[in-house]
Amino acid sequence: LNELLLYHGCRSGSIDGIIQHGFDASKAGERNGRFFGKGTYFTDVAAKADTYADTCDGRKCLIVAHVCLGKVAHATKAMPSLEAPPLEGD
């Protein structure tokens, strides 16, 4: 399996819902767009996730998630209209 511990930055008001119910793909792109298509975004760089987290009582919170990755698609350009993983060769 291709499993990693990755960071996810979000609004403080979203954290409890994510912890209780998991990530909701239907909300993908509501706040920060869909640069690489519809999906939930994670990063291996805490400083990158930090840019998406808001401040609450002078603190920022990041979620560290155990993420199972499928086949990796390397993006070479923005694909905001993508609704599903690209086909091989796209």
Side-chain angles (χ1 to χ4, degrees), residues 1-82:
L1 291 176
N2 191 6
E3 300 176 4
L4 298 171
L5 288 174
L6 299 172
Y7 300 101
H8 178 81
C10 61
R11 293 176 283 209
S12 57
S14 300
I15 293 173
D16 286 338
I18 292 170
I19 290 170
Q20 291 176 13
H21 306 289
F23 292 97
D24 185 347
S26 71
K27 295 184 177 182
E30 279 184 352
R31 179 173 172 221
N32 292 308
R34 297 165 37 159
F35 196 75
F36 295 111
K38 188 172 185 177
T40 304
Y41 289 70
F42 299 91
T43 179
D44 60 344
V45 180
K48 178 69 173 176
D50 182 67
T51 65
Y52 296 95
D54 64 359
T55 302
C56 181
D57 296 328
R59 297 181 182 169
K60 286 189 172 186
C61 293
L62 301 179
I63 294 174
V64 179
H66 189 190
V67 181
C68 294
L69 303 173
K71 190 171 183 179
V72 176
H74 296 278
T76 57
K77 61 183 178 187
M79 298 177 277
S81 62
L82 200 62

